Amino acid sequence: METDKKWYVIHTYSGYENKVMQTLERKVKSMGLENVINRILVPMEDEVDIKDGKKHVVKRKIFPGYVLVEMEVNDRSWYVVRNTPGVTGFVGSATKPIPLNPEEVKRILKSQGIDESEPKVHISVEVGEQVRITSGPFENFIATITEINDEKGTLKGLIDMFGRETSVEVDYSQIEKSLE
């Protein structure tokens, strides 16, 4: 059996996704399986409904009838998930669940606001400071910072291009403090 945790898809009765997630979370805690079954996710998205001419934002399940589980598959964890009320089985073969492709997982998590691609980069720069752009289309340009967005991990700055100031937006990972 595999010892590393991967994301798997479990099939549930339609409409039972949240109930399965809650039941499974309780089971994991009560059985001390936190180190084997990590996260349980029902991917949702905002959808705008128009009723009586009024817009309402509602959460809709992206994959109705399915729940994602990050876990290490062993006999015990497989049994616990498989025997959770509302679960009809794993997606894959009957005996061995097939994990999701890592790129697919990354895309789904990102759609849920969970970005695990890289740890957040924090930099100590201030508006008005100069930085050197180290990669991308503006590589080796010196930018004067005009705006810092910690939430997105980006900053805006002005570079001198063809004799005029041009505003550019770059990722924290694309800059270094200028030595000027």
Side-chain angles (χ1 to χ4, degrees):
M1 288 279 168
E2 300 171 309
T3 55
D4 56 331
K5 292 175 184 65
K6 291 187 166 74
W7 283 91
Y8 296 88
V9 181
I10 52 177
H11 192 258
T12 67
Y13 295 123
S14 194
Y16 281 77
E17 302 87 353
N18 292 330
K19 195 170 202 54
V20 165
M21 180 172 75
Q22 292 162 353
T23 304
L24 201 47
E25 284 171 345
R26 275 198 306 276
K27 276 177 140 183
V28 166
K29 272 198 184 85
S30 70
M31 298 175 81
L33 290 171
E34 292 93 345
N35 60 342
V36 181
I37 299 174
N38 279 39
R39 293 179 286 175
I40 303 155
L41 182 68
V42 176
M44 307 284 267
E45 65 185 352
D46 288 338
E47 195 173 270
V48 177
D49 264 2
I50 298 174
K51 241 187 221 158
D52 304 325
K54 291 189 177 122
K55 287 183 181 180
H56 299 278
V57 177
V58 290
K59 293 269 187 208
R60 291 261 195 269
K61 293 174 185 83
I62 298 174
F63 309 115
Y66 296 96
V67 175
L68 306 182
V69 182
E70 183 184 33
M71 63 186 279
E72 175 187 319
V73 175
N74 59 35
D75 291 344
R76 187 166 179 222
S77 65
W78 182 88
Y79 184 84
V80 167
V81 172
R82 189 66 191 83
N83 290 290
T84 298
V87 171
T88 58
F90 279 93
V91 172
S93 68
T95 53
K96 188 165 176 21
I98 298 170
L100 279 171
N101 166 326
E103 285 306 308
E104 185 72 7
V105 170
K106 208 181 278 185
R107 193 180 61 73
I108 293 168
L109 291 179
K110 196 171 188 130
S111 79
Q112 298 303 295
I114 307 167
D115 189 3
E116 300 186 323
S117 53
E118 291 164 20
K120 277 229 189 265
V121 178
H122 292 284
I123 54 168
S124 55
V125 292
E126 294 174 16
V127 171
E129 220 176 309
Q130 289 195 323
V131 292
R132 190 172 77 76
I133 301 173
T134 57
S135 66
F138 306 107
E139 188 172 350
N140 294 322
F141 276 86
I142 300 293
T144 303
I145 300 171
T146 57
E147 198 178 305
I148 299 171
N149 186 336
D150 268 333
E151 186 109 342
K152 282 175 39 184
T154 61
L155 58 84
K156 286 185 180 169
L158 294 173
I159 61 171
D160 183 30
M161 185 184 277
F162 309 122
R164 40 172 25 155
E165 283 190 328
T166 304
S167 181
V168 296
E169 184 172 348
V170 292
D171 198 89
Y172 285 174
S173 64
Q174 293 178 283
I175 63 154
E176 66 182 20
K177 280 193 168 191
S178 180
L179 301 173
E180 291 180 15

